[in-house]
PDB file of all heavy atoms in Angstrom:
ATOM      1  N   ARG A   1      20.280 -31.370  63.966  1.00 98.00           N
ATOM      2  CA  ARG A   1      19.555 -31.651  65.206  1.00 98.00           C
ATOM      3  C   ARG A   1      18.757 -30.400  65.593  1.00 98.00           C
ATOM      4  O   ARG A   1      19.326 -29.324  65.751  1.00 98.00           O
ATOM      5  CB  ARG A   1      20.514 -32.042  66.323  1.00 98.00           C
ATOM      6  CG  ARG A   1      19.831 -32.276  67.678  1.00 98.00           C
ATOM      7  CD  ARG A   1      20.790 -32.942  68.667  1.00 98.00           C
ATOM      8  NE  ARG A   1      21.068 -34.318  68.251  1.00 98.00           N
ATOM      9  CZ  ARG A   1      22.048 -35.059  68.764  1.00 98.00           C
ATOM     10  NH1 ARG A   1      22.853 -34.549  69.678  1.00 98.00           N
ATOM     11  NH2 ARG A   1      22.223 -36.308  68.346  1.00 98.00           N
ATOM     12  N   GLN A   2      17.434 -30.580  65.771  1.00 98.00           N
ATOM     13  CA  GLN A   2      16.549 -29.470  66.086  1.00 98.00           C
ATOM     14  C   GLN A   2      15.807 -29.753  67.387  1.00 98.00           C
ATOM     15  O   GLN A   2      15.367 -30.881  67.620  1.00 98.00           O
ATOM     16  CB  GLN A   2      15.558 -29.249  64.939  1.00 98.00           C
ATOM     17  CG  GLN A   2      16.274 -28.995  63.609  1.00 98.00           C
ATOM     18  CD  GLN A   2      15.309 -28.836  62.447  1.00 98.00           C
ATOM     19  OE1 GLN A   2      14.901 -27.741  62.103  1.00 98.00           O
ATOM     20  NE2 GLN A   2      14.946 -29.946  61.828  1.00 98.00           N
ATOM     21  N   ILE A   3      15.648 -28.725  68.192  1.00 98.00           N
ATOM     22  CA  ILE A   3      15.030 -28.863  69.511  1.00 98.00           C
ATOM     23  C   ILE A   3      13.658 -28.199  69.495  1.00 98.00           C
ATOM     24  O   ILE A   3      13.514 -27.068  69.022  1.00 98.00           O
ATOM     25  CB  ILE A   3      15.900 -28.209  70.608  1.00 98.00           C
ATOM     26  CG1 ILE A   3      17.376 -28.644  70.472  1.00 98.00           C
ATOM     27  CG2 ILE A   3      15.345 -28.532  71.988  1.00 98.00           C
ATOM     28  CD1 ILE A   3      17.615 -30.119  70.587  1.00 98.00           C
ATOM     29  N   VAL A   4      12.665 -28.897  70.019  1.00 98.00           N
ATOM     30  CA  VAL A   4      11.325 -28.329  70.158  1.00 98.00           C
ATOM     31  C   VAL A   4      10.796 -28.647  71.554  1.00 98.00           C
ATOM     32  O   VAL A   4      11.214 -29.628  72.175  1.00 98.00           O
ATOM     33  CB  VAL A   4      10.343 -28.863  69.083  1.00 98.00           C
ATOM     34  CG1 VAL A   4      10.874 -28.597  67.686  1.00 98.00           C
ATOM     35  CG2 VAL A   4      10.069 -30.351  69.273  1.00 98.00           C
ATOM     36  N   CYS A   5       9.877 -27.831  72.022  1.00 98.00           N
ATOM     37  CA  CYS A   5       9.255 -28.047  73.333  1.00 98.00           C
ATOM     38  C   CYS A   5       7.768 -28.309  73.132  1.00 98.00           C
ATOM     39  O   CYS A   5       7.042 -27.440  72.632  1.00 98.00           O
ATOM     40  CB  CYS A   5       9.454 -26.816  74.228  1.00 98.00           C
ATOM     41  SG  CYS A   5       8.776 -27.009  75.896  1.00 98.00           S
ATOM     42  N   VAL A   6       7.310 -29.501  73.489  1.00 98.00           N
ATOM     43  CA  VAL A   6       5.903 -29.862  73.307  1.00 98.00           C
ATOM     44  C   VAL A   6       5.050 -29.223  74.401  1.00 98.00           C
ATOM     45  O   VAL A   6       5.573 -28.710  75.393  1.00 98.00           O
ATOM     46  CB  VAL A   6       5.722 -31.388  73.305  1.00 98.00           C
ATOM     47  CG1 VAL A   6       6.556 -32.019  72.201  1.00 98.00           C
ATOM     48  CG2 VAL A   6       6.065 -31.994  74.667  1.00 98.00           C
ATOM     49  N   SER A   7       3.749 -29.266  74.219  1.00 98.00           N
ATOM     50  CA  SER A   7       2.833 -28.756  75.248  1.00 98.00           C
ATOM     51  C   SER A   7       2.315 -29.914  76.101  1.00 98.00           C
ATOM     52  O   SER A   7       2.703 -30.060  77.250  1.00 98.00           O
ATOM     53  CB  SER A   7       1.687 -27.970  74.602  1.00 98.00           C
ATOM     54  OG  SER A   7       1.054 -28.706  73.569  1.00 98.00           O
ATOM     55  N   THR A   8       1.494 -30.783  75.552  1.00 98.00           N
ATOM     56  CA  THR A   8       0.983 -31.935  76.299  1.00 98.00           C
ATOM     57  C   THR A   8       1.836 -33.176  76.029  1.00 98.00           C
ATOM     58  O   THR A   8       2.633 -33.206  75.094  1.00 98.00           O
ATOM     59  CB  THR A   8      -0.473 -32.227  75.899  1.00 98.00           C
ATOM     60  OG1 THR A   8      -0.544 -32.351  74.470  1.00 98.00           O
ATOM     61  CG2 THR A   8      -1.386 -31.114  76.360  1.00 98.00           C
ATOM     62  N   GLY A   9       1.638 -34.203  76.851  1.00 98.00           N
ATOM     63  CA  GLY A   9       2.390 -35.437  76.706  1.00 98.00           C
ATOM     64  C   GLY A   9       1.550 -36.571  76.156  1.00 98.00           C
ATOM     65  O   GLY A   9       0.377 -36.405  75.822  1.00 98.00           O
ATOM     66  N   GLY A  10       2.159 -37.737  76.073  1.00 97.00           N
ATOM     67  CA  GLY A  10       1.462 -38.916  75.575  1.00 97.00           C
ATOM     68  C   GLY A  10       2.416 -40.091  75.482  1.00 97.00           C
ATOM     69  O   GLY A  10       3.619 -39.961  75.712  1.00 97.00           O
ATOM     70  N   LYS A  11       1.881 -41.253  75.149  1.00 97.00           N
ATOM     71  CA  LYS A  11       2.679 -42.470  75.034  1.00 97.00           C
ATOM     72  C   LYS A  11       2.866 -42.914  73.592  1.00 97.00           C
ATOM     73  O   LYS A  11       3.625 -43.849  73.326  1.00 97.00           O
ATOM     74  CB  LYS A  11       2.023 -43.596  75.840  1.00 97.00           C
ATOM     75  CG  LYS A  11       1.962 -43.317  77.334  1.00 97.00           C
ATOM     76  CD  LYS A  11       1.294 -44.461  78.079  1.00 97.00           C
ATOM     77  CE  LYS A  11       1.240 -44.175  79.576  1.00 97.00           C
ATOM     78  NZ  LYS A  11       0.575 -45.279  80.327  1.00 97.00           N
ATOM     79  N   LEU A  12       2.150 -42.262  72.685  1.00 98.00           N
ATOM     80  CA  LEU A  12       2.265 -42.587  71.266  1.00 98.00           C
ATOM     81  C   LEU A  12       2.286 -41.273  70.506  1.00 98.00           C
ATOM     82  O   LEU A  12       1.442 -40.414  70.733  1.00 98.00           O
ATOM     83  CB  LEU A  12       1.083 -43.453  70.816  1.00 98.00           C
ATOM     84  CG  LEU A  12       1.198 -44.161  69.470  1.00 98.00           C
ATOM     85  CD1 LEU A  12       2.246 -45.272  69.538  1.00 98.00           C
ATOM     86  CD2 LEU A  12      -0.148 -44.754  69.044  1.00 98.00           C
ATOM     87  N   LEU A  13       3.261 -41.108  69.610  1.00 98.00           N
ATOM     88  CA  LEU A  13       3.374 -39.846  68.894  1.00 98.00           C
ATOM     89  C   LEU A  13       3.655 -40.088  67.425  1.00 98.00           C
ATOM     90  O   LEU A  13       4.005 -41.193  66.999  1.00 98.00           O
ATOM     91  CB  LEU A  13       4.472 -38.960  69.517  1.00 98.00           C
ATOM     92  CG  LEU A  13       5.911 -39.450  69.559  1.00 98.00           C
ATOM     93  CD1 LEU A  13       6.622 -39.342  68.199  1.00 98.00           C
ATOM     94  CD2 LEU A  13       6.713 -38.659  70.587  1.00 98.00           C
ATOM     95  N   ARG A  14       3.503 -39.025  66.664  1.00 98.00           N
ATOM     96  CA  ARG A  14       3.919 -39.026  65.265  1.00 98.00           C
ATOM     97  C   ARG A  14       4.449 -37.625  64.938  1.00 98.00           C
ATOM     98  O   ARG A  14       4.025 -36.636  65.532  1.00 98.00           O
ATOM     99  CB  ARG A  14       2.767 -39.409  64.331  1.00 98.00           C
ATOM    100  CG  ARG A  14       1.568 -38.459  64.374  1.00 98.00           C
ATOM    101  CD  ARG A  14       0.460 -38.929  63.461  1.00 98.00           C
ATOM    102  NE  ARG A  14      -0.637 -37.959  63.406  1.00 98.00           N
ATOM    103  CZ  ARG A  14      -1.725 -38.092  62.646  1.00 98.00           C
ATOM    104  NH1 ARG A  14      -1.860 -39.173  61.892  1.00 98.00           N
ATOM    105  NH2 ARG A  14      -2.662 -37.164  62.641  1.00 98.00           N
ATOM    106  N   VAL A  15       5.399 -37.562  64.015  1.00 98.00           N
ATOM    107  CA  VAL A  15       6.056 -36.307  63.654  1.00 98.00           C
ATOM    108  C   VAL A  15       5.719 -35.974  62.206  1.00 98.00           C
ATOM    109  O   VAL A  15       5.695 -36.862  61.340  1.00 98.00           O
ATOM    110  CB  VAL A  15       7.581 -36.423  63.845  1.00 98.00           C
ATOM    111  CG1 VAL A  15       8.292 -35.157  63.374  1.00 98.00           C
ATOM    112  CG2 VAL A  15       7.910 -36.703  65.314  1.00 98.00           C
ATOM    113  N   LYS A  16       5.474 -34.701  61.951  1.00 98.00           N
ATOM    114  CA  LYS A  16       5.120 -34.246  60.609  1.00 98.00           C
ATOM    115  C   LYS A  16       6.300 -33.505  59.989  1.00 98.00           C
ATOM    116  O   LYS A  16       6.884 -32.618  60.612  1.00 98.00           O
ATOM    117  CB  LYS A  16       3.887 -33.345  60.679  1.00 98.00           C
ATOM    118  CG  LYS A  16       3.359 -32.874  59.348  1.00 98.00           C
ATOM    119  CD  LYS A  16       1.947 -32.289  59.451  1.00 98.00           C
ATOM    120  CE  LYS A  16       1.834 -31.182  60.464  1.00 98.00           C
ATOM    121  NZ  LYS A  16       0.491 -30.565  60.456  1.00 98.00           N
ATOM    122  N   LEU A  17       6.654 -33.882  58.767  1.00 98.00           N
ATOM    123  CA  LEU A  17       7.697 -33.225  58.002  1.00 98.00           C
ATOM    124  C   LEU A  17       7.087 -32.567  56.772  1.00 98.00           C
ATOM    125  O   LEU A  17       6.107 -33.075  56.216  1.00 98.00           O
ATOM    126  CB  LEU A  17       8.764 -34.228  57.556  1.00 98.00           C
ATOM    127  CG  LEU A  17       9.438 -35.068  58.646  1.00 98.00           C
ATOM    128  CD1 LEU A  17      10.488 -35.974  58.012  1.00 98.00           C
ATOM    129  CD2 LEU A  17      10.060 -34.196  59.723  1.00 98.00           C
ATOM    130  N   SER A  18       7.663 -31.441  56.355  1.00 98.00           N
ATOM    131  CA  SER A  18       7.090 -30.720  55.225  1.00 98.00           C
ATOM    132  C   SER A  18       8.151 -30.319  54.215  1.00 98.00           C
ATOM    133  O   SER A  18       9.188 -29.751  54.566  1.00 98.00           O
ATOM    134  CB  SER A  18       6.359 -29.458  55.715  1.00 98.00           C
ATOM    135  OG  SER A  18       5.842 -28.736  54.609  1.00 98.00           O
ATOM    136  N   ASN A  19       7.856 -30.628  52.958  1.00 98.00           N
ATOM    137  CA  ASN A  19       8.668 -30.167  51.827  1.00 98.00           C
ATOM    138  C   ASN A  19       7.784 -29.389  50.858  1.00 98.00           C
ATOM    139  O   ASN A  19       8.031 -29.345  49.655  1.00 98.00           O
ATOM    140  CB  ASN A  19       9.314 -31.364  51.112  1.00 98.00           C
ATOM    141  CG  ASN A  19      10.434 -30.964  50.178  1.00 98.00           C
ATOM    142  OD1 ASN A  19      11.204 -30.043  50.452  1.00 98.00           O
ATOM    143  ND2 ASN A  19      10.532 -31.653  49.042  1.00 98.00           N
ATOM    144  N   GLU A  20       6.752 -28.755  51.428  1.00 98.00           N
ATOM    145  CA  GLU A  20       5.706 -28.156  50.599  1.00 98.00           C
ATOM    146  C   GLU A  20       6.160 -26.972  49.755  1.00 98.00           C
ATOM    147  O   GLU A  20       5.654 -26.749  48.660  1.00 98.00           O
ATOM    148  CB  GLU A  20       4.541 -27.721  51.488  1.00 98.00           C
ATOM    149  CG  GLU A  20       3.764 -28.876  52.067  1.00 98.00           C
ATOM    150  CD  GLU A  20       2.682 -28.414  53.010  1.00 98.00           C
ATOM    151  OE1 GLU A  20       2.988 -28.188  54.188  1.00 98.00           O
ATOM    152  OE2 GLU A  20       1.536 -28.253  52.565  1.00 98.00           O
ATOM    153  N   PHE A  21       7.088 -26.169  50.257  1.00 97.00           N
ATOM    154  CA  PHE A  21       7.457 -24.951  49.545  1.00 97.00           C
ATOM    155  C   PHE A  21       8.780 -25.081  48.795  1.00 97.00           C
ATOM    156  O   PHE A  21       9.224 -24.133  48.159  1.00 97.00           O
ATOM    157  CB  PHE A  21       7.518 -23.777  50.523  1.00 97.00           C
ATOM    158  CG  PHE A  21       6.163 -23.401  51.066  1.00 97.00           C
ATOM    159  CD1 PHE A  21       5.707 -23.944  52.259  1.00 97.00           C
ATOM    160  CD2 PHE A  21       5.336 -22.534  50.381  1.00 97.00           C
ATOM    161  CE1 PHE A  21       4.457 -23.618  52.754  1.00 97.00           C
ATOM    162  CE2 PHE A  21       4.087 -22.205  50.866  1.00 97.00           C
ATOM    163  CZ  PHE A  21       3.641 -22.738  52.055  1.00 97.00           C
ATOM    164  N   SER A  22       9.397 -26.230  48.873  1.00 95.00           N
ATOM    165  CA  SER A  22      10.657 -26.441  48.165  1.00 95.00           C
ATOM    166  C   SER A  22      10.376 -26.744  46.692  1.00 95.00           C
ATOM    167  O   SER A  22       9.283 -27.170  46.324  1.00 95.00           O
ATOM    168  CB  SER A  22      11.425 -27.599  48.807  1.00 95.00           C
ATOM    169  OG  SER A  22      11.568 -27.371  50.198  1.00 95.00           O
ATOM    170  N   LYS A  23      11.392 -26.546  45.873  1.00 93.00           N
ATOM    171  CA  LYS A  23      11.219 -26.747  44.436  1.00 93.00           C
ATOM    172  C   LYS A  23      11.756 -28.095  43.965  1.00 93.00           C
ATOM    173  O   LYS A  23      11.700 -28.404  42.767  1.00 93.00           O
ATOM    174  CB  LYS A  23      11.892 -25.611  43.671  1.00 93.00           C
ATOM    175  CG  LYS A  23      11.243 -24.255  43.919  1.00 93.00           C
ATOM    176  CD  LYS A  23      11.902 -23.151  43.121  1.00 93.00           C
ATOM    177  CE  LYS A  23      11.212 -21.809  43.390  1.00 93.00           C
ATOM    178  NZ  LYS A  23      11.855 -20.691  42.646  1.00 93.00           N
ATOM    179  N   GLY A  24      12.296 -28.865  44.891  1.00 97.00           N
ATOM    180  CA  GLY A  24      12.818 -30.169  44.527  1.00 97.00           C
ATOM    181  C   GLY A  24      12.628 -31.161  45.650  1.00 97.00           C
ATOM    182  O   GLY A  24      12.284 -30.791  46.782  1.00 97.00           O
ATOM    183  N   PRO A  25      12.845 -32.448  45.400  1.00 98.00           N
ATOM    184  CA  PRO A  25      12.700 -33.476  46.439  1.00 98.00           C
ATOM    185  C   PRO A  25      13.811 -33.379  47.472  1.00 98.00           C
ATOM    186  O   PRO A  25      14.904 -32.871  47.201  1.00 98.00           O
ATOM    187  CB  PRO A  25      12.789 -34.782  45.652  1.00 98.00           C
ATOM    188  CG  PRO A  25      13.619 -34.444  44.454  1.00 98.00           C
ATOM    189  CD  PRO A  25      13.277 -33.023  44.102  1.00 98.00           C
ATOM    190  N   VAL A  26      13.533 -33.878  48.666  1.00 98.00           N
ATOM    191  CA  VAL A  26      14.550 -33.955  49.708  1.00 98.00           C
ATOM    192  C   VAL A  26      14.686 -35.418  50.135  1.00 98.00           C
ATOM    193  O   VAL A  26      13.699 -36.089  50.422  1.00 98.00           O
ATOM    194  CB  VAL A  26      14.216 -33.052  50.921  1.00 98.00           C
ATOM    195  CG1 VAL A  26      12.852 -33.390  51.524  1.00 98.00           C
ATOM    196  CG2 VAL A  26      15.293 -33.148  51.986  1.00 98.00           C
ATOM    197  N   ASN A  27      15.913 -35.908  50.143  1.00 98.00           N
ATOM    198  CA  ASN A  27      16.171 -37.274  50.588  1.00 98.00           C
ATOM    199  C   ASN A  27      16.581 -37.249  52.055  1.00 98.00           C
ATOM    200  O   ASN A  27      17.472 -36.497  52.457  1.00 98.00           O
ATOM    201  CB  ASN A  27      17.283 -37.925  49.760  1.00 98.00           C
ATOM    202  CG  ASN A  27      17.678 -39.291  50.290  1.00 98.00           C
ATOM    203  OD1 ASN A  27      18.825 -39.526  50.618  1.00 98.00           O
ATOM    204  ND2 ASN A  27      16.721 -40.202  50.423  1.00 98.00           N
ATOM    205  N   ILE A  28      15.882 -38.044  52.844  1.00 98.00           N
ATOM    206  CA  ILE A  28      16.166 -38.153  54.272  1.00 98.00           C
ATOM    207  C   ILE A  28      16.559 -39.593  54.561  1.00 98.00           C
ATOM    208  O   ILE A  28      15.774 -40.522  54.358  1.00 98.00           O
ATOM    209  CB  ILE A  28      14.948 -37.728  55.106  1.00 98.00           C
ATOM    210  CG1 ILE A  28      14.674 -36.232  54.891  1.00 98.00           C
ATOM    211  CG2 ILE A  28      15.165 -38.025  56.587  1.00 98.00           C
ATOM    212  CD1 ILE A  28      13.440 -35.726  55.592  1.00 98.00           C
TER     213      ILE A  28
END
């Protein structure tokens, strides 16, 4: 569980995940 604080608000959002620097796949 990770906590972040956004700046602006909205009613529709999307979240970005990154596995760009890892050497193998990650299963979520």
Side-chain angles (χ1 to χ4, degrees):
R1 177 168 291 167
Q2 303 177 93
I3 312 300
V4 303
C5 182
V6 302
S7 51
T8 53
K11 297 180 180 179
L12 194 69
L13 61 77
R14 61 182 185 178
V15 176
K16 184 165 55 175
L17 305 181
S18 178
N19 195 37
E20 290 176 276
F21 292 93
S22 307
K23 295 182 179 179
V26 57
N27 174 238
I28 294 176

